[in-house]
Amino acid sequence: MAKLVASAVDARPPAGRLLLLAIQHVLSMYAGAITVPLVVAGALGLTPAETGFLVSASLLTSGVVTIVQCLGLGPFGIKLPVVMGVTFVGALPAVAIASASPHGLAEVFGAAIVAGVVGLLVIPFMSRLTHVLTPVVTGTAMLLIGVSLIGVTADWAAGGRGAARFGDPVNLLIAAVTLTAILTISRFGRGFLAATAILAGMIVGVVFAGAVGALAPVSLADSAWIAPPLPGQMGWPHFDLAASTTMVVVMLITLVESSGMLIMLGRISGRPLDAEALARGLRTDALGSIIGGLLGSFPCTSYSQNIALVGLTGVASRWVCATAGALLVVLAMVPKLSLLVAGLPSPVLGGAGLVLFGMVAAAGVHALSEVDYAQPGRLTVVAVSLALGLLPMFRPTLFDRLPKALAPFLENGMLIGVVSAIALNLLFKSTSSPRPAAEGGSAAPLHP
C-alpha cells in the first residue's frame, strides 16, 4: 500500500465524490457488520423481528462510533479514516453468556458495558499488555474463533439449525454457488467490484436461491420505514461477574488487535501515531463497547478491510469514513432493510461465512507464523492451548456436571484457549531466556 501525505487525512472531497467514496466503504464492511448479529441470533434461535433489531442496533453502534473515531469527541477519536464495526471476537462469548443466563442477551449488554469501562482503565497500560498478549496468544485466539465459527456456517449452508430441510442438496448447492461467486469476483474483479466481493457474491446467491424456489417471502407490511432501534427492546443491561469477566477478556484481545491496525493505518495515511493518538483510538474502541451495551449491540473494533481500502484507493480523508458512519446510522433507522437482511437465505450466509470465518482462522495462522518457535516452550504453549480450546467444540457436554456459574467460561473454547495461552506463555517466559523484542508485538491486523 502506498504511503499518503498527512494533509490528505483532513481533506474534504466534493460532496458527490464524498458520498460515492463513503458508499464504497459501507459496502466493503456491510457483510461483516451484519454477520455478527446474524451469528448470535441464529445460535440463540431469535425471531426475524429480534434478529432485525440486532442488525439495526449493530449498524447504529458502528455508525456512531465511526463518526466519533473519525472526527473526535473530547478524549475520544483518533481522527484518521477508520470505519468501526462489531467484532467477531465477541460473537461466541455473547452466545455462551446468553445461552447460560436466564436474562439472555441483557446479560451480554451489561457485560459489554463493564468491559468498556475496564478497557478505559487499562488503556494507559496497553504497552505492558502487548507484551502479555503476544502472537502466541492472539494467534491462538483467532484460530480458535475461526475454527469454532465453521460449525455455525455449516449449519447455515445446510439450511439453518432446526430447519425442516436441513442438509437438502438444494441448500448445499445455494451455498456452493454463493462461495463460487465470491471467489470468482475476488479473483477476476477489479477495484470497487473486488472490494465488495462478499456482498456481490451474496447477491448472486440470493438471485440463485430465488431461481430454484428457495427464497422465502419476507413480510414488510408490519414494519415502519423509519424507526430507530431503541435501548431496552431486547432487555435492559443486566450485570453479572462471570459474564463481565468473559467480556473483559474479549475487550483486551480487541484492544491489542486494534493497536496493530491503527498503527498500520497511521503509516498508510502519512500520519504516524504517537502514544496519545493511539490511546485516543483505543479509548474509542472501549467507548464502542459501552455504547453497544446501551443500544443493545456488541463491542466494536476497526475494520481491516476499510484500512486496506484507504491504501487501495489512495483516499485517506477522514471525512469520507465519517460520512460512511453517517450512512450506517441512516441504514439502522430503516427497519424494512433490517428485516430484509434478517430474511437472507441461510445457505447464502453459509457460503459467505466459509470465506469470512475462514479468514479469521487464517489470520490466526498468520499470527502464529510470526512466533519464534526456537524459543523454549513456544510450541508447547500453542499445542496445549489449542487442544484445551477445542475440547468444548468436540465434546460440548464435557463440562455439564460442573457448576452452571462456570458455563460462560467452560462452554467458550476461545476463552479457555486464550487463558491457557496467557498462563503458559508467562510460565515459559519466566523459565527461559528473554525473547527477541520483535515477538512482543500484537497479532496481525484482522477483521471480517
Side-chain angles (χ1 to χ4, degrees), residues 330-354:
V330 171
L331 291 173
M333 302 295 179
V334 185
K336 290 185 186 295
L337 176 62
S338 296
L339 281 176
L340 282 174
V341 171
L344 286 174
S346 290
V348 172
L349 295 174
L354 284 170

mmCIF file with all atom_site columns, all heavy atoms in Angstrom, residues 330-354:
data_model
loop_
_atom_site.group_PDB
_atom_site.id
_atom_site.type_symbol
_atom_site.label_atom_id
_atom_site.label_alt_id
_atom_site.label_comp_id
_atom_site.label_asym_id
_atom_site.label_entity_id
_atom_site.label_seq_id
_atom_site.pdbx_PDB_ins_code
_atom_site.Cartn_x
_atom_site.Cartn_y
_atom_site.Cartn_z
_atom_site.occupancy
_atom_site.B_iso_or_equiv
_atom_site.pdbx_formal_charge
_atom_site.auth_seq_id
_atom_site.auth_comp_id
_atom_site.auth_asym_id
_atom_site.auth_atom_id
_atom_site.pdbx_PDB_model_num
ATOM 1   N N   . VAL A 1 330 ? -28.063 5.977   9.183  1.00 0.00 ? 330 VAL A N   1
ATOM 2   C CA  . VAL A 1 330 ? -29.282 6.060   8.379  1.00 0.00 ? 330 VAL A CA  1
ATOM 3   C C   . VAL A 1 330 ? -29.845 4.667   8.111  1.00 0.00 ? 330 VAL A C   1
ATOM 4   O O   . VAL A 1 330 ? -31.052 4.422   8.243  1.00 0.00 ? 330 VAL A O   1
ATOM 5   C CB  . VAL A 1 330 ? -29.009 6.797   7.052  1.00 0.00 ? 330 VAL A CB  1
ATOM 6   C CG1 . VAL A 1 330 ? -30.214 6.693   6.123  1.00 0.00 ? 330 VAL A CG1 1
ATOM 7   C CG2 . VAL A 1 330 ? -28.676 8.265   7.317  1.00 0.00 ? 330 VAL A CG2 1
ATOM 8   N N   . LEU A 1 331 ? -28.973 3.738   7.727  1.00 0.00 ? 331 LEU A N   1
ATOM 9   C CA  . LEU A 1 331 ? -29.418 2.372   7.458  1.00 0.00 ? 331 LEU A CA  1
ATOM 10  C C   . LEU A 1 331 ? -30.033 1.728   8.691  1.00 0.00 ? 331 LEU A C   1
ATOM 11  O O   . LEU A 1 331 ? -30.986 0.949   8.598  1.00 0.00 ? 331 LEU A O   1
ATOM 12  C CB  . LEU A 1 331 ? -28.244 1.531   6.961  1.00 0.00 ? 331 LEU A CB  1
ATOM 13  C CG  . LEU A 1 331 ? -27.701 1.864   5.567  1.00 0.00 ? 331 LEU A CG  1
ATOM 14  C CD1 . LEU A 1 331 ? -26.435 1.073   5.277  1.00 0.00 ? 331 LEU A CD1 1
ATOM 15  C CD2 . LEU A 1 331 ? -28.758 1.581   4.506  1.00 0.00 ? 331 LEU A CD2 1
ATOM 16  N N   . ALA A 1 332 ? -29.491 2.048   9.859  1.00 0.00 ? 332 ALA A N   1
ATOM 17  C CA  . ALA A 1 332 ? -30.017 1.477   11.101 1.00 0.00 ? 332 ALA A CA  1
ATOM 18  C C   . ALA A 1 332 ? -31.427 1.959   11.409 1.00 0.00 ? 332 ALA A C   1
ATOM 19  O O   . ALA A 1 332 ? -32.171 1.297   12.143 1.00 0.00 ? 332 ALA A O   1
ATOM 20  C CB  . ALA A 1 332 ? -29.092 1.836   12.263 1.00 0.00 ? 332 ALA A CB  1
ATOM 21  N N   . MET A 1 333 ? -31.796 3.095   10.855 1.00 0.00 ? 333 MET A N   1
ATOM 22  C CA  . MET A 1 333 ? -33.107 3.672   11.132 1.00 0.00 ? 333 MET A CA  1
ATOM 23  C C   . MET A 1 333 ? -34.206 3.110   10.233 1.00 0.00 ? 333 MET A C   1
ATOM 24  O O   . MET A 1 333 ? -35.363 3.487   10.370 1.00 0.00 ? 333 MET A O   1
ATOM 25  C CB  . MET A 1 333 ? -33.052 5.199   10.939 1.00 0.00 ? 333 MET A CB  1
ATOM 26  C CG  . MET A 1 333 ? -32.034 5.900   11.810 1.00 0.00 ? 333 MET A CG  1
ATOM 27  S SD  . MET A 1 333 ? -32.424 5.781   13.564 1.00 0.00 ? 333 MET A SD  1
ATOM 28  C CE  . MET A 1 333 ? -31.031 6.655   14.283 1.00 0.00 ? 333 MET A CE  1
ATOM 29  N N   . VAL A 1 334 ? -33.862 2.219   9.305  1.00 0.00 ? 334 VAL A N   1
ATOM 30  C CA  . VAL A 1 334 ? -34.837 1.689   8.346  1.00 0.00 ? 334 VAL A CA  1
ATOM 31  C C   . VAL A 1 334 ? -35.121 0.219   8.668  1.00 0.00 ? 334 VAL A C   1
ATOM 32  O O   . VAL A 1 334 ? -34.404 -0.670  8.211  1.00 0.00 ? 334 VAL A O   1
ATOM 33  C CB  . VAL A 1 334 ? -34.316 1.826   6.905  1.00 0.00 ? 334 VAL A CB  1
ATOM 34  C CG1 . VAL A 1 334 ? -35.384 1.389   5.905  1.00 0.00 ? 334 VAL A CG1 1
ATOM 35  C CG2 . VAL A 1 334 ? -33.889 3.261   6.628  1.00 0.00 ? 334 VAL A CG2 1
ATOM 36  N N   . PRO A 1 335 ? -36.143 -0.082  9.473  1.00 0.00 ? 335 PRO A N   1
ATOM 37  C CA  . PRO A 1 335 ? -36.442 -1.461  9.877  1.00 0.00 ? 335 PRO A CA  1
ATOM 38  C C   . PRO A 1 335 ? -36.721 -2.395  8.709  1.00 0.00 ? 335 PRO A C   1
ATOM 39  O O   . PRO A 1 335 ? -36.420 -3.583  8.781  1.00 0.00 ? 335 PRO A O   1
ATOM 40  C CB  . PRO A 1 335 ? -37.682 -1.309  10.764 1.00 0.00 ? 335 PRO A CB  1
ATOM 41  C CG  . PRO A 1 335 ? -37.650 0.101   11.236 1.00 0.00 ? 335 PRO A CG  1
ATOM 42  C CD  . PRO A 1 335 ? -37.043 0.890   10.118 1.00 0.00 ? 335 PRO A CD  1
ATOM 43  N N   . LYS A 1 336 ? -37.302 -1.866  7.645  1.00 0.00 ? 336 LYS A N   1
ATOM 44  C CA  . LYS A 1 336 ? -37.591 -2.731  6.496  1.00 0.00 ? 336 LYS A CA  1
ATOM 45  C C   . LYS A 1 336 ? -36.300 -3.320  5.932  1.00 0.00 ? 336 LYS A C   1
ATOM 46  O O   . LYS A 1 336 ? -36.253 -4.486  5.526  1.00 0.00 ? 336 LYS A O   1
ATOM 47  C CB  . LYS A 1 336 ? -38.339 -1.945  5.422  1.00 0.00 ? 336 LYS A CB  1
ATOM 48  C CG  . LYS A 1 336 ? -39.775 -1.579  5.805  1.00 0.00 ? 336 LYS A CG  1
ATOM 49  C CD  . LYS A 1 336 ? -40.492 -0.914  4.647  1.00 0.00 ? 336 LYS A CD  1
ATOM 50  C CE  . LYS A 1 336 ? -41.885 -0.414  5.059  1.00 0.00 ? 336 LYS A CE  1
ATOM 51  N NZ  . LYS A 1 336 ? -42.786 -1.518  5.408  1.00 0.00 ? 336 LYS A NZ  1
ATOM 52  N N   . LEU A 1 337 ? -35.237 -2.515  5.915  1.00 0.00 ? 337 LEU A N   1
ATOM 53  C CA  . LEU A 1 337 ? -33.958 -3.012  5.437  1.00 0.00 ? 337 LEU A CA  1
ATOM 54  C C   . LEU A 1 337 ? -33.415 -4.093  6.371  1.00 0.00 ? 337 LEU A C   1
ATOM 55  O O   . LEU A 1 337 ? -32.904 -5.121  5.928  1.00 0.00 ? 337 LEU A O   1
ATOM 56  C CB  . LEU A 1 337 ? -32.955 -1.864  5.325  1.00 0.00 ? 337 LEU A CB  1
ATOM 57  C CG  . LEU A 1 337 ? -31.532 -2.251  4.918  1.00 0.00 ? 337 LEU A CG  1
ATOM 58  C CD1 . LEU A 1 337 ? -31.534 -2.888  3.533  1.00 0.00 ? 337 LEU A CD1 1
ATOM 59  C CD2 . LEU A 1 337 ? -30.627 -1.039  4.949  1.00 0.00 ? 337 LEU A CD2 1
ATOM 60  N N   . SER A 1 338 ? -33.553 -3.872  7.680  1.00 0.00 ? 338 SER A N   1
ATOM 61  C CA  . SER A 1 338 ? -33.074 -4.857  8.648  1.00 0.00 ? 338 SER A CA  1
ATOM 62  C C   . SER A 1 338 ? -33.821 -6.174  8.509  1.00 0.00 ? 338 SER A C   1
ATOM 63  O O   . SER A 1 338 ? -33.242 -7.254  8.624  1.00 0.00 ? 338 SER A O   1
ATOM 64  C CB  . SER A 1 338 ? -33.232 -4.313  10.075 1.00 0.00 ? 338 SER A CB  1
ATOM 65  O OG  . SER A 1 338 ? -32.425 -3.187  10.260 1.00 0.00 ? 338 SER A OG  1
ATOM 66  N N   . LEU A 1 339 ? -35.141 -6.113  8.268  1.00 0.00 ? 339 LEU A N   1
ATOM 67  C CA  . LEU A 1 339 ? -35.916 -7.335  8.081  1.00 0.00 ? 339 LEU A CA  1
ATOM 68  C C   . LEU A 1 339 ? -35.499 -8.067  6.809  1.00 0.00 ? 339 LEU A C   1
ATOM 69  O O   . LEU A 1 339 ? -35.443 -9.304  6.773  1.00 0.00 ? 339 LEU A O   1
ATOM 70  C CB  . LEU A 1 339 ? -37.406 -7.012  8.038  1.00 0.00 ? 339 LEU A CB  1
ATOM 71  C CG  . LEU A 1 339 ? -38.088 -6.760  9.384  1.00 0.00 ? 339 LEU A CG  1
ATOM 72  C CD1 . LEU A 1 339 ? -39.537 -6.361  9.183  1.00 0.00 ? 339 LEU A CD1 1
ATOM 73  C CD2 . LEU A 1 339 ? -38.005 -7.987  10.274 1.00 0.00 ? 339 LEU A CD2 1
ATOM 74  N N   . LEU A 1 340 ? -35.200 -7.310  5.759  1.00 0.00 ? 340 LEU A N   1
ATOM 75  C CA  . LEU A 1 340 ? -34.724 -7.938  4.535  1.00 0.00 ? 340 LEU A CA  1
ATOM 76  C C   . LEU A 1 340 ? -33.404 -8.664  4.764  1.00 0.00 ? 340 LEU A C   1
ATOM 77  O O   . LEU A 1 340 ? -33.200 -9.788  4.299  1.00 0.00 ? 340 LEU A O   1
ATOM 78  C CB  . LEU A 1 340 ? -34.543 -6.882  3.436  1.00 0.00 ? 340 LEU A CB  1
ATOM 79  C CG  . LEU A 1 340 ? -35.820 -6.392  2.737  1.00 0.00 ? 340 LEU A CG  1
ATOM 80  C CD1 . LEU A 1 340 ? -35.483 -5.252  1.786  1.00 0.00 ? 340 LEU A CD1 1
ATOM 81  C CD2 . LEU A 1 340 ? -36.500 -7.532  1.985  1.00 0.00 ? 340 LEU A CD2 1
ATOM 82  N N   . VAL A 1 341 ? -32.512 -8.026  5.521  1.00 0.00 ? 341 VAL A N   1
ATOM 83  C CA  . VAL A 1 341 ? -31.235 -8.652  5.842  1.00 0.00 ? 341 VAL A CA  1
ATOM 84  C C   . VAL A 1 341 ? -31.451 -9.908  6.676  1.00 0.00 ? 341 VAL A C   1
ATOM 85  O O   . VAL A 1 341 ? -30.853 -10.960 6.442  1.00 0.00 ? 341 VAL A O   1
ATOM 86  C CB  . VAL A 1 341 ? -30.325 -7.660  6.587  1.00 0.00 ? 341 VAL A CB  1
ATOM 87  C CG1 . VAL A 1 341 ? -29.082 -8.365  7.120  1.00 0.00 ? 341 VAL A CG1 1
ATOM 88  C CG2 . VAL A 1 341 ? -29.932 -6.513  5.675  1.00 0.00 ? 341 VAL A CG2 1
ATOM 89  N N   . ALA A 1 342 ? -32.358 -9.810  7.667  1.00 0.00 ? 342 ALA A N   1
ATOM 90  C CA  . ALA A 1 342 ? -32.636 -10.957 8.528  1.00 0.00 ? 342 ALA A CA  1
ATOM 91  C C   . ALA A 1 342 ? -33.266 -12.106 7.746  1.00 0.00 ? 342 ALA A C   1
ATOM 92  O O   . ALA A 1 342 ? -33.168 -13.264 8.154  1.00 0.00 ? 342 ALA A O   1
ATOM 93  C CB  . ALA A 1 342 ? -33.557 -10.544 9.675  1.00 0.00 ? 342 ALA A CB  1
ATOM 94  N N   . GLY A 1 343 ? -33.921 -11.787 6.619  1.00 0.00 ? 343 GLY A N   1
ATOM 95  C CA  . GLY A 1 343 ? -34.572 -12.816 5.833  1.00 0.00 ? 343 GLY A CA  1
ATOM 96  C C   . GLY A 1 343 ? -33.690 -13.436 4.765  1.00 0.00 ? 343 GLY A C   1
ATOM 97  O O   . GLY A 1 343 ? -34.173 -14.219 3.936  1.00 0.00 ? 343 GLY A O   1
ATOM 98  N N   . LEU A 1 344 ? -32.391 -13.113 4.760  1.00 0.00 ? 344 LEU A N   1
ATOM 99  C CA  . LEU A 1 344 ? -31.481 -13.727 3.793  1.00 0.00 ? 344 LEU A CA  1
ATOM 100 C C   . LEU A 1 344 ? -31.491 -15.245 3.953  1.00 0.00 ? 344 LEU A C   1
ATOM 101 O O   . LEU A 1 344 ? -31.472 -15.752 5.078  1.00 0.00 ? 344 LEU A O   1
ATOM 102 C CB  . LEU A 1 344 ? -30.052 -13.207 3.996  1.00 0.00 ? 344 LEU A CB  1
ATOM 103 C CG  . LEU A 1 344 ? -29.750 -11.790 3.526  1.00 0.00 ? 344 LEU A CG  1
ATOM 104 C CD1 . LEU A 1 344 ? -28.343 -11.400 3.948  1.00 0.00 ? 344 LEU A CD1 1
ATOM 105 C CD2 . LEU A 1 344 ? -29.876 -11.684 2.009  1.00 0.00 ? 344 LEU A CD2 1
ATOM 106 N N   . PRO A 1 345 ? -31.517 -16.002 2.867  1.00 0.00 ? 345 PRO A N   1
ATOM 107 C CA  . PRO A 1 345 ? -31.497 -17.469 2.970  1.00 0.00 ? 345 PRO A CA  1
ATOM 108 C C   . PRO A 1 345 ? -30.261 -17.950 3.726  1.00 0.00 ? 345 PRO A C   1
ATOM 109 O O   . PRO A 1 345 ? -29.147 -17.484 3.463  1.00 0.00 ? 345 PRO A O   1
ATOM 110 C CB  . PRO A 1 345 ? -31.473 -17.921 1.509  1.00 0.00 ? 345 PRO A CB  1
ATOM 111 C CG  . PRO A 1 345 ? -32.014 -16.769 0.732  1.00 0.00 ? 345 PRO A CG  1
ATOM 112 C CD  . PRO A 1 345 ? -31.582 -15.543 1.471  1.00 0.00 ? 345 PRO A CD  1
ATOM 113 N N   . SER A 1 346 ? -30.454 -18.872 4.638  1.00 0.00 ? 346 SER A N   1
ATOM 114 C CA  . SER A 1 346 ? -29.326 -19.386 5.423  1.00 0.00 ? 346 SER A CA  1
ATOM 115 C C   . SER A 1 346 ? -28.201 -19.939 4.560  1.00 0.00 ? 346 SER A C   1
ATOM 116 O O   . SER A 1 346 ? -27.011 -19.712 4.857  1.00 0.00 ? 346 SER A O   1
ATOM 117 C CB  . SER A 1 346 ? -29.818 -20.456 6.407  1.00 0.00 ? 346 SER A CB  1
ATOM 118 O OG  . SER A 1 346 ? -30.594 -19.882 7.416  1.00 0.00 ? 346 SER A OG  1
ATOM 119 N N   . PRO A 1 347 ? -28.494 -20.687 3.478  1.00 0.00 ? 347 PRO A N   1
ATOM 120 C CA  . PRO A 1 347 ? -27.390 -21.199 2.655  1.00 0.00 ? 347 PRO A CA  1
ATOM 121 C C   . PRO A 1 347 ? -26.520 -20.103 2.045  1.00 0.00 ? 347 PRO A C   1
ATOM 122 O O   . PRO A 1 347 ? -25.318 -20.307 1.848  1.00 0.00 ? 347 PRO A O   1
ATOM 123 C CB  . PRO A 1 347 ? -28.112 -22.006 1.568  1.00 0.00 ? 347 PRO A CB  1
ATOM 124 C CG  . PRO A 1 347 ? -29.409 -22.408 2.187  1.00 0.00 ? 347 PRO A CG  1
ATOM 125 C CD  . PRO A 1 347 ? -29.793 -21.224 3.032  1.00 0.00 ? 347 PRO A CD  1
ATOM 126 N N   . VAL A 1 348 ? -27.125 -18.953 1.737  1.00 0.00 ? 348 VAL A N   1
ATOM 127 C CA  . VAL A 1 348 ? -26.331 -17.837 1.216  1.00 0.00 ? 348 VAL A CA  1
ATOM 128 C C   . VAL A 1 348 ? -25.346 -17.356 2.283  1.00 0.00 ? 348 VAL A C   1
ATOM 129 O O   . VAL A 1 348 ? -24.163 -17.124 2.009  1.00 0.00 ? 348 VAL A O   1
ATOM 130 C CB  . VAL A 1 348 ? -27.251 -16.680 0.767  1.00 0.00 ? 348 VAL A CB  1
ATOM 131 C CG1 . VAL A 1 348 ? -26.422 -15.448 0.405  1.00 0.00 ? 348 VAL A CG1 1
ATOM 132 C CG2 . VAL A 1 348 ? -28.097 -17.109 -0.416 1.00 0.00 ? 348 VAL A CG2 1
ATOM 133 N N   . LEU A 1 349 ? -25.835 -17.230 3.506  1.00 0.00 ? 349 LEU A N   1
ATOM 134 C CA  . LEU A 1 349 ? -24.953 -16.850 4.612  1.00 0.00 ? 349 LEU A CA  1
ATOM 135 C C   . LEU A 1 349 ? -23.873 -17.903 4.824  1.00 0.00 ? 349 LEU A C   1
ATOM 136 O O   . LEU A 1 349 ? -22.734 -17.590 5.178  1.00 0.00 ? 349 LEU A O   1
ATOM 137 C CB  . LEU A 1 349 ? -25.766 -16.667 5.894  1.00 0.00 ? 349 LEU A CB  1
ATOM 138 C CG  . LEU A 1 349 ? -26.783 -15.520 5.892  1.00 0.00 ? 349 LEU A CG  1
ATOM 139 C CD1 . LEU A 1 349 ? -27.621 -15.559 7.165  1.00 0.00 ? 349 LEU A CD1 1
ATOM 140 C CD2 . LEU A 1 349 ? -26.082 -14.185 5.759  1.00 0.00 ? 349 LEU A CD2 1
ATOM 141 N N   . GLY A 1 350 ? -24.250 -19.180 4.611  1.00 0.00 ? 350 GLY A N   1
ATOM 142 C CA  . GLY A 1 350 ? -23.277 -20.251 4.762  1.00 0.00 ? 350 GLY A CA  1
ATOM 143 C C   . GLY A 1 350 ? -22.142 -20.141 3.769  1.00 0.00 ? 350 GLY A C   1
ATOM 144 O O   . GLY A 1 350 ? -20.966 -20.314 4.131  1.00 0.00 ? 350 GLY A O   1
ATOM 145 N N   . GLY A 1 351 ? -22.461 -19.834 2.519  1.00 0.00 ? 351 GLY A N   1
ATOM 146 C CA  . GLY A 1 351 ? -21.414 -19.666 1.518  1.00 0.00 ? 351 GLY A CA  1
ATOM 147 C C   . GLY A 1 351 ? -20.494 -18.506 1.834  1.00 0.00 ? 351 GLY A C   1
ATOM 148 O O   . GLY A 1 351 ? -19.264 -18.611 1.708  1.00 0.00 ? 351 GLY A O   1
ATOM 149 N N   . ALA A 1 352 ? -21.074 -17.389 2.257  1.00 0.00 ? 352 ALA A N   1
ATOM 150 C CA  . ALA A 1 352 ? -20.265 -16.225 2.626  1.00 0.00 ? 352 ALA A CA  1
ATOM 151 C C   . ALA A 1 352 ? -19.482 -16.493 3.901  1.00 0.00 ? 352 ALA A C   1
ATOM 152 O O   . ALA A 1 352 ? -18.326 -16.068 4.039  1.00 0.00 ? 352 ALA A O   1
ATOM 153 C CB  . ALA A 1 352 ? -21.158 -15.000 2.795  1.00 0.00 ? 352 ALA A CB  1
ATOM 154 N N   . GLY A 1 353 ? -20.102 -17.195 4.856  1.00 0.00 ? 353 GLY A N   1
ATOM 155 C CA  . GLY A 1 353 ? -19.446 -17.478 6.126  1.00 0.00 ? 353 GLY A CA  1
ATOM 156 C C   . GLY A 1 353 ? -18.196 -18.312 5.970  1.00 0.00 ? 353 GLY A C   1
ATOM 157 O O   . GLY A 1 353 ? -17.228 -18.155 6.725  1.00 0.00 ? 353 GLY A O   1
ATOM 158 N N   . LEU A 1 354 ? -18.178 -19.207 4.979  1.00 0.00 ? 354 LEU A N   1
ATOM 159 C CA  . LEU A 1 354 ? -16.985 -20.012 4.748  1.00 0.00 ? 354 LEU A CA  1
ATOM 160 C C   . LEU A 1 354 ? -15.778 -19.130 4.441  1.00 0.00 ? 354 LEU A C   1
ATOM 161 O O   . LEU A 1 354 ? -14.661 -19.417 4.869  1.00 0.00 ? 354 LEU A O   1
ATOM 162 C CB  . LEU A 1 354 ? -17.229 -20.986 3.591  1.00 0.00 ? 354 LEU A CB  1
ATOM 163 C CG  . LEU A 1 354 ? -18.097 -22.202 3.915  1.00 0.00 ? 354 LEU A CG  1
ATOM 164 C CD1 . LEU A 1 354 ? -18.466 -22.946 2.634  1.00 0.00 ? 354 LEU A CD1 1
ATOM 165 C CD2 . LEU A 1 354 ? -17.366 -23.134 4.867  1.00 0.00 ? 354 LEU A CD2 1
#
